[in-house]
Amino acid sequence: MRFDEKLIRLRKQAGWSQEELAEKLDVSRQAVSKWELAQSTPDLERILAMSQLFGVSTDYLLKEEMEQENQPHDEERSECGRLVTMEEAEAFLRVKARTADRIAWAVFACIISPIALLLLGAAAEQRAVTETHAAAIGLVVLLVIVASAVAVFIGCGTQTAPYQYMEKEAIETAPGVADMVRERQKAYRERYGRANVAGACLCILSLVPLLTAAFFTENALQLTAALSLMMAIAGLGTVSFIRGGIRWESMEKLLEEGDYNRNAKRSNTQAISTAFWLLATAAYLGYSLFTKDWEKSWILWPVAGVLYAALATVVNGIYKRKGYKS
């Protein structure tokens, strides 16, 4: 095994990005990139620093014939990971970009799905329509919208299924892949920031229609319309978060950074996150359909957000005590 291959493996086993390693060695990220692409070699001072940093001998770093004696144990070797070629990385990024919009709008559809039921329920209170007809039509609309969104989720999941290993397993990228992804990440960073700002502003401003209506009217239909508008605006904010987030996370997966570094994969926090939000969604739909109190059941989402933050803190603390780093 050549020096560049050993450096890539050791860095990823430590869960560091090229920037993080460069900072520890007091060099530029470009220097680390050139080492990993075998375009240059570090000086003796950096070799000694890497030896101490990774806990391996200088002989292991420099001599191919010393590999068998000094390479990491079997458990560490097994984490070298599946090789991701340039073609596969580009195909993955294309698929994630294509499905990001579909998933975002499918989530938006789920958020606004109760609006017809809410408006018809308010109309029934004013005897504009019978309660039976209001409930029947509202539930049909809700179920059709949710079913359509689920179909989109399943379709997108089918397209991304071949790349699921990137979320759960250690990977190795072919030469040039990391630089390609970093260039795209750099170009996308400003757009990603704008998407997060837009999402946050829309979610905050979504309260304006409901608060305004609460001050100026007591009419049930008008209040329900304001609540529906609030849900639509919050849904648009969610669309902005998801569209930007999926694209950004796809690049983090290839670089094994953020929530997708090797230590995070080892701790399996992604599975915990998925299970939590599936349970939260089931609780929301179950409570809302059983009580038909859609005007109050939305409070479950901010509560779930607080609980999730607490759960994440506890889980990360447990794994850190076991020797993992998230």
Side-chain angles (χ1 to χ4, degrees), residues 122-147:
E125 289 185 6
Q126 297 187 352
R127 303 184 183 281
V129 64
T130 65
E131 290 187 4
T132 302
H133 288 163
I137 296 172
L139 284 173
V140 167
V141 172
L142 183 149
L143 292 174
V144 168
I145 293 175
V146 172

Side-chain angles (χ1 to χ4, degrees), residues 176-187:
V177 171
D179 282 345
M180 179 273 290
V181 177
R182 291 191 188 283
E183 286 300 318
R184 295 196 185 187
Q185 192 180 55
K186 181 179 179 180

Side-chain angles (χ1 to χ4, degrees), residues 104-180:
W105 288 111
V107 172
F108 175 78
C110 289
I111 292 173
I112 67 170
S113 61
I115 287 179
L117 185 61
L118 290 172
L119 291 173
L120 287 168
E125 289 185 6
Q126 297 187 352
R127 303 184 183 281
V129 64
T130 65
E131 290 187 4
T132 302
H133 288 163
I137 296 172
L139 284 173
V140 167
V141 172
L142 183 149
L143 292 174
V144 168
I145 293 175
V146 172
S148 301
V150 169
V152 172
F153 293 144
I154 293 174
C156 292
T158 301
Q159 293 183 51
T160 58
Y163 308 101
Q164 287 298 310
Y165 68 90
M166 293 186 188
E167 297 184 12
K168 304 173 184 178
E169 303 174 15
I171 62 173
E172 294 289 343
T173 53
V177 171
D179 282 345
M180 179 273 290

Side-chain angles (χ1 to χ4, degrees), residues 2 4-5 8-9 12 36-37 77-90 92 162-163 165-166 169-178 253-254 256 262 265:
R2 303 189 308 271
D4 56 302
E5 296 172 326
I8 292 172
R9 183 169 72 174
K12 291 193 172 184
E36 294 188 353
L37 292 172
R77 284 203 303 270
S78 67
E79 295 195 11
C80 292
R82 175 172 168 176
L83 179 67
V84 179
T85 64
M86 180 67 75
E87 293 77 12
E88 190 172 14
E90 290 179 340
F92 170 67
Y163 308 101
Y165 68 90
M166 293 186 188
E169 303 174 15
I171 62 173
E172 294 289 343
T173 53
V177 171
K253 289 175 184 178
L254 285 170
E256 291 193 308
R262 292 195 175 184
K265 291 177 182 179

